[in-house]
Amino acid sequence: MLLAIDQGTTGTTCLVVGDDLRAVGRGYRELTCRFPEPGLVEQDGEEIWQSVLGAARDALADAGASPHDLRALGIANQRETTILWERGSGRPVAPAIVWQDRRTARRCAELPRDLIRERTGLLPDPYFSATKLEWLLASTGAAGDLAFGTVDSWLVWKLTGGGSHLTDVSNASRTLLLGIDSLEWDDELLALFGIPRSLLPELVSTSGPVAEAELLGARIPVTGLAGDQQAALFGQACLSPGQAKATYGTGSFVLVNAGTELAAAPDGALRTVAWRLGGARPVYALEGAVFVAGTAIQWLRDGLGLVEEAGESEILARSLKGNDGVYFVPALSGLGAPHWDPDARGLIAGITQGTSRAHLARAALEAIAFQTRDVLDAMGIELDVLRAAGGASANGFLM
């Protein structure tokens, strides 16, 4: 049996997978996001870890299995979320700064765009990890023997009792610190952000074995690490250049397999590492990242109280013949691809006295589709097939 850990923004899912690659057990634990000020999004690193333990325990119980039955485990994780912790105690020095956080927008506006784009394939945006880490170092005054990681690094550290500090190249390519050509930490970028190399995890391939975990009393090899969107590209069998997927989760992420040759990305799109299997050549991807997709429906539920559960949005949207001119720009965390405007804020337009909650639900769902189309237009790619997954893909109106 295998254990698959999917550590996402809104929760952690663990699956126990049998030898026939069918899931035989599932566990899920929800996570808390905190919004201490407008544009700030934080989580508790310890809560992230406890959610993994809880979901793993639940999945094993659901499968009627013991941790000792597991032959290996793999991790797919929310990307760019940044954690800084003490090596000695394993204690985070501050809340984790989530990928949606916008607090470093002003700093990003000062950065050399062309250098960063050429060296990393990315753009200077608060989405990525380096300015988050720079901010943590400056604002917390933390000193001593510290370690930085995205969520994959944090989980491997906890799983190995501090014995392994590492990250795979797909996650590292989201930090603004990795040379996308060299697949090594870039000294010039480290100097730009004032980040000591000693903080950084070791770079490993996406497929292992890369470490040995101790989980619920059993020793289990860690044989896979990948950022969740790259993992989805692989998992949806987009294994040849030109094949694409869209994942409709907290955000919406369109990735296109770009093969092993590192080509320039169209304006507004990103180049990123898709995966490197063992010692094989890395596979790259073009990416368009939309920051708010399922979050918009969550906001209708939790922020406005317009729906009791996410599936109700489909019923409301279908109750209308059209949108009656009501549109929603869901820039609740700025705008990602292809606009890359961290200062943008949400907008609802076309409201009249006849506007109802059904109009707002429909506008939120339509906004997910419109944003995905914006990304594909920016990439200049016509696709015969776009494979879709994620929670919102169950919404019949959206699909």
Side-chain angles (χ1 to χ4, degrees):
M1 291 183 175
L2 308 174
L3 180 68
I5 300 172
D6 177 15
Q7 202 302 292
T9 313
T10 56
T12 298
T13 301
C14 286
L15 297 177
V16 175
V17 180
D19 292 340
D20 60 356
L21 300 185
R22 295 179 182 274
V24 295
R26 182 182 188 276
Y28 177 77
R29 295 294 176 97
E30 192 166 336
L31 272 179
T32 305
C33 271
R34 300 177 180 84
F35 310 93
E37 296 180 24
L40 274 59
V41 189
E42 298 177 347
Q43 289 182 327
D44 182 336
E46 189 60 33
E47 184 185 356
I48 292 173
W49 165 238
Q50 291 299 325
S51 76
V52 170
L53 287 179
R57 190 178 291 111
D58 294 346
L60 287 164
D62 189 40
S66 161
H68 298 281
D69 296 326
L70 297 174
R71 296 166 55 194
L73 67 83
I75 299 170
N77 57 280
Q78 57 168 308
R79 307 174 303 171
E80 299 94 17
T81 294
T82 299
I83 305 174
L84 182 66
W85 67 91
E86 298 171 341
R87 289 183 185 271
S89 67
R91 181 183 64 85
V93 303
I97 303 181
V98 177
W99 57 271
Q100 296 167 308
D101 191 279
R102 305 277 92 190
R103 74 185 67 193
T104 63
R106 183 174 298 178
R107 171 60 171 148
C108 288
E110 303 169 350
L111 295 170
R113 180 186 179 95
D114 291 344
L115 170 67
I116 287 174
R117 184 133 176 96
E118 176 185 356
R119 199 68 60 84
T120 70
L122 309 176
L123 295 164
D125 189 271
Y127 176 34
F128 304 110
S129 305
T131 57
K132 293 176 169 61
L133 177 55
E134 182 184 44
W135 186 92
L136 282 170
L137 291 170
S139 65
T140 63
D145 196 5
L146 304 176
F148 149 74
T150 44
V151 170
D152 61 317
S153 297
W154 170 242
L155 294 182
V156 170
W157 176 274
K158 298 293 281 186
L159 284 165
T160 61
S164 295
H165 183 209
L166 51 84
T167 187
D168 93 295
V169 290
S170 75
N171 278 293
S173 73
R174 313 299 298 182
T175 61
L176 294 182
L177 300 173
L178 186 83
I180 197 167
D181 293 291
S182 66
L183 297 191
E184 299 289 346
W185 299 122
D186 186 285
D187 287 327
E188 186 174 358
L189 295 173
L190 292 176
L192 175 66
F193 295 105
I195 295 172
R197 181 177 280 269
S198 61
L199 295 181
L200 302 181
E202 175 190 354
L203 294 164
V204 299
S205 292
T206 306
S207 61
V210 297
E212 187 173 60
E214 184 168 342
L215 178 65
L216 304 176
R219 300 194 70 81
I220 307 164
V222 180
T223 58
L225 297 174
D228 53 7
Q229 301 310 318
Q230 291 98 321
L233 186 70
F234 190 91
Q236 291 180 251
C238 297
L239 305 179
S240 299
Q243 295 180 328
K245 70 87 191 175
T247 301
Y248 300 106
T250 302
S252 173
F253 301 88
V254 180
L255 271 72
V256 182
N257 186 318
T260 57
E261 299 300 323
L262 189 57
D267 190 39
L270 308 173
R271 295 182 298 165
T272 197
V273 177
W275 54 75
R276 184 175 66 189
L277 303 181
R281 295 180 66 184
V283 172
Y284 295 96
L286 293 178
E287 177 173 339
V290 171
F291 295 154
V292 173
T295 300
I297 308 303
Q298 187 180 45
W299 177 66
L300 293 183
R301 183 193 68 188
D302 300 339
L304 300 184
L306 297 183
V307 297
E308 292 186 3
E309 52 91 20
E312 190 180 348
S313 63
E314 178 181 351
I315 298 170
L316 290 170
R318 288 186 181 278
S319 72
L320 302 172
K321 293 182 179 179
N323 65 16
D324 295 326
V326 178
Y327 294 93
F328 177 32
V329 179
L332 307 182
S333 300
L335 286 173
H339 312 286
W340 297 108
D341 184 352
D343 295 320
R345 292 295 178 263
L347 173 69
I348 300 173
I351 296 175
T352 69
Q353 286 181 313
T355 299
S356 67
R357 68 190 184 107
H359 288 93
L360 297 183
R362 184 179 181 118
L365 291 172
E366 288 183 343
I368 298 172
F370 290 147
Q371 290 178 105
T372 302
R373 178 58 185 265
D374 282 348
V375 168
L376 292 172
D377 286 347
M379 288 182 175
I381 297 173
E382 293 186 8
L383 301 173
D384 293 330
V385 176
L386 177 64
R387 293 169 181 158
S393 66
N395 189 298
F397 178 82
L398 177 62
M399 292 294 106

